[in-house]
Amino acid sequence: DQQYIPTDYVTRAANGELYAIGGENYAGLDIGREHDLTALVVVNWDGAIARVVAIRTAKRTDHDALLALAGHAVGNYRVRRLCVDQTGIGAFPVEEMQRAWGRQRVEGVTFGLGSKEEMATTLHGAFAGEWLRIPREDSELVDVDEGNARGLINDVCSLRRIVTSAGNIRYDAARGADGHADRAWALALALHAITNKPATRNVRFGGSERDVEPWQT
């Protein structure tokens, strides 16, 4: 009863339409704690459809492996933005990534009630609005660790919308041997990278001013 994203929505998004021409790449990196997975999801966004193009995971990710996953997204996919879970142990790695690749490319996201609700709502909207495509099987992706296509589907279906006794709403999933919906949160972070762009600001060019995106400076 608490399943947040209906299975029908997920099945509809896993329709094999992953081939993309053009567009830009965005990524989300969810950092695992204790027995959870660390998950990287890269999506291609052509202005209308977001397509998952890579899913990489690691167990008990050490410092070097974590930076390697981020470097894979930046170096191999030239991502325009990489949103990284900076909750708890993620704070220091995010600082390192920002020093390496810039604050406009790497954004730290702290998981709290408000941010998780925003990301979960965007994820739900992507499935409901049919502007997201995900793989059905590993064979549909060139860059995927074994079992992660089905793992992503299971993670998305495991997300729950829970109303607490105090009337608060939280979004969570049962923790199991295969993680804690980590691939779903990595996907949500990637969509956050697309939809929650930094505000424009005025920058002076040769005596004139115009609004630009921060990553253009």
Side-chain angles (χ1 to χ4, degrees), residues 99-122:
R99 283 196 294 270
W101 299 298
R103 290 182 175 273
Q104 304 306 334
R105 176 165 286 180
V106 178
E107 176 191 348
V109 178
T110 301
F111 279 23
L113 288 178
S115 61
K116 288 186 79 171
E117 179 175 15
E118 179 182 345
M119 287 188 292
T121 301
T122 298

Side-chain angles (χ1 to χ4, degrees), residues 51-135:
R51 296 174 173 86
V52 171
V53 296
I55 313 172
R56 304 286 291 270
T57 54
K59 271 282 196 181
R60 300 180 64 84
T61 311
D62 62 26
H63 174 268
D64 292 341
L66 183 59
L67 293 182
L69 282 174
H72 182 71
V74 175
N76 290 47
Y77 292 95
R78 308 295 182 192
V79 292
R80 189 163 191 181
R81 289 182 77 206
L82 168 64
C83 284
V84 185
D85 168 19
Q86 68 176 4
T87 314
I89 63 173
F92 180 66
V94 166
E95 290 179 4
E96 288 190 289
M97 294 173 198
Q98 289 176 331
R99 283 196 294 270
W101 299 298
R103 290 182 175 273
Q104 304 306 334
R105 176 165 286 180
V106 178
E107 176 191 348
V109 178
T110 301
F111 279 23
L113 288 178
S115 61
K116 288 186 79 171
E117 179 175 15
E118 179 182 345
M119 287 188 292
T121 301
T122 298
L123 185 63
H124 186 286
F127 280 102
E130 300 184 39
W131 56 269
L132 175 64
R133 304 288 184 268
I134 64 175

